Amino acid sequence: LGSELRIRWCSHLAPQSSEGRRAAMRCVWKLAEASESGVLKQAILHLFERCVAEEGHEAIRAMPKQTVPARAVLRASFVKRLLNGEVDLRSAASADVSAAQADLRHFSLLQLLCIRARSIDMQTDSASHSAHRSFLDTVDALTCEKLARRGLTRGGVPLFGDRRKLEELRAVGFHMLLVLGMKKHCESV
């Protein structure tokens, strides 16, 4: 991608003639001086601020309710300290990070955004940070999934059945983040 973010025009917005549709399908918009990671960073930070404004800081600290008592959130204390800002993900032990990863699915969109916003500039390319990279990959995937589920509802009722594939939901959520990030980027230029 380099320093440009390329966005393909949606085919349903294309002109009605067959020649116009073919031309529109080849059309690619370029958002100069914007990287995908930079656009996603803007989206996550903005969405986190909006969710905090709507739901409040106390919603960040609320631990998920246990639906099955035998399957408690195993690393609740670690995640709670992470959400409260008492521990930094960068300095957390790999064992704690790995153990908490399975519990991420129990947390809200706001809580996932909180974790991601606080670790937005964290570099995890090193082999010694593989647990942290895996943890953040899970946070990212669940954030996209929960964002799509939240966006694809009408009056609190999902617009899709439970059969919707997770990959599809995550792709929709990822594109929602890209669009929001592009909007924020264009506003700041």
Side-chain angles (χ1 to χ4, degrees), residues 51-93:
C51 286
V52 167
E54 289 176 12
E55 299 177 36
H57 286 282
E58 55 279 354
I60 295 172
R61 293 183 290 276
M63 295 306 287
K65 293 184 177 25
Q66 302 304 322
T67 55
V68 180
R71 175 62 185 123
V73 176
L74 297 175
R75 302 301 281 186
S77 65
F78 170 74
V79 177
K80 189 174 186 176
R81 290 183 298 129
L82 190 62
L83 291 170
N84 288 334
E86 297 168 13
V87 66
D88 184 12
L89 186 59
R90 292 171 187 87
S91 61

Side-chain angles (χ1 to χ4, degrees), residues 37-58:
S37 61
V39 166
L40 290 171
K41 178 180 175 178
Q42 286 183 316
I44 288 168
L45 293 174
H46 175 74
L47 193 56
F48 175 60
E49 290 173 9
R50 291 285 308 269
C51 286
V52 167
E54 289 176 12
E55 299 177 36
H57 286 282
E58 55 279 354

Side-chain angles (χ1 to χ4, degrees), residues 1-7 31 33-37 40 174 178:
L1 287 176
S3 66
E4 296 179 340
L5 184 62
R6 298 174 183 264
I7 307 299
L31 189 58
E33 302 302 321
S35 66
E36 182 178 276
S37 61
L40 290 171
F174 177 78
L178 276 179

Side-chain angles (χ1 to χ4, degrees), residues 21-36:
R21 280 194 301 273
R22 281 193 300 273
M25 291 299 290
R26 290 187 306 268
C27 178
V28 175
W29 295 343
K30 295 179 186 176
L31 189 58
E33 302 302 321
S35 66
E36 182 178 276

Side-chain angles (χ1 to χ4, degrees), residues 88-103:
D88 184 12
L89 186 59
R90 292 171 187 87
S91 61
S94 294
D96 288 335
V97 173
S98 292
Q101 185 173 343
D103 295 327

